[in-house]
Amino acid sequence: VFPDPTPEECRWLRDRMRSVSDRERSPGGSRVFVSREDATIRHVNNTDAIRPVLDEYGFETHVLSELSVAEQIALFSDADIVVAPHGAGLTNLVYADDVAVVELFGRKKLASFARLATMLDQTYTSVDCEQRGVNLVVDPDWLAAAIESVQHS
């Protein structure tokens, strides 16, 4: 079993990777919805149903596999709020400073990114979603409530 990294190790990694990404942080931040539409599991089946919620709160959709490492670092370092299904892309939280995270789960729940967010003093909440096969169906009202709760934290 590997121990969790320490907050100091995470900050060292964030600072080191940001320095090599050679990009300044944008003022004002952004709101990021991580789409796993290219993934074989845990993508959101009802993106059309949650799109009005994401639009209302100013979220932009990103497919992380289409971005370089430097672009992912920049995206997460600029983010104010990240909404994402559970998945490896949330490892990018290590590059964020003052971010709020809404993680979407099906039946299987892992605390990996909750622990990372807590370690880095980031605001964190999760939304339990209906699981259809290996994918998720997100309740738009629950998503809106979760976004409301983290944006005022």
Side-chain angles (χ1 to χ4, degrees):
V1 175
F2 295 101
D4 286 341
T6 66
E8 294 76 23
E9 291 166 334
C10 290
R11 283 191 277 283
W12 177 87
L13 177 62
R14 178 191 61 214
D15 295 343
R16 177 78 173 139
M17 294 300 286
R18 278 185 176 179
S19 71
V20 298
S21 76
D22 195 32
R23 186 180 175 283
E24 293 293 319
R25 256 191 112 199
S26 299
S30 62
R31 294 182 173 196
V32 174
F33 173 65
V34 175
S35 169
R36 290 179 48 90
E37 66 189 38
D38 61 334
T40 57
I41 60 173
R42 288 188 311 275
H43 67 265
V44 176
N45 277 352
N46 66 328
T47 303
D48 290 344
I50 65 168
R51 175 71 47 216
V53 173
L54 297 170
D55 290 346
E56 177 184 344
Y57 288 98
F59 282 83
E60 293 181 5
T61 300
H62 298 272
V63 179
L64 298 182
S65 64
E66 296 174 356
L67 303 177
S68 69
V69 172
E71 290 168 328
Q72 290 180 49
I73 292 168
L75 180 66
F76 278 77
S77 66
D78 286 346
D80 287 333
I81 302 176
V82 172
V83 173
H86 177 80
L90 282 172
T91 304
N92 288 301
L93 291 173
V94 76
Y95 306 125
D97 283 316
D98 187 21
V99 71
V101 183
V102 177
E103 187 172 12
L104 309 175
F105 282 109
R107 287 186 294 272
K108 184 177 179 181
K109 295 176 185 65
L110 300 171
S112 313
F113 302 113
R115 288 194 321 267
L116 181 61
T118 299
M119 198 179 342
L120 296 172
D121 296 319
Q122 298 168 343
T123 302
Y124 177 91
T125 194
S126 63
V127 175
D128 292 333
C129 303
E130 179 185 339
Q131 187 166 330
R132 288 205 186 135
V134 294
N135 297 319
L136 305 176
V137 175
V138 181
D139 182 295
D141 294 332
W142 291 359
L143 178 59
I147 293 169
E148 277 292 322
S149 76
V150 299
Q151 80 174 356
H152 297 298
S153 296

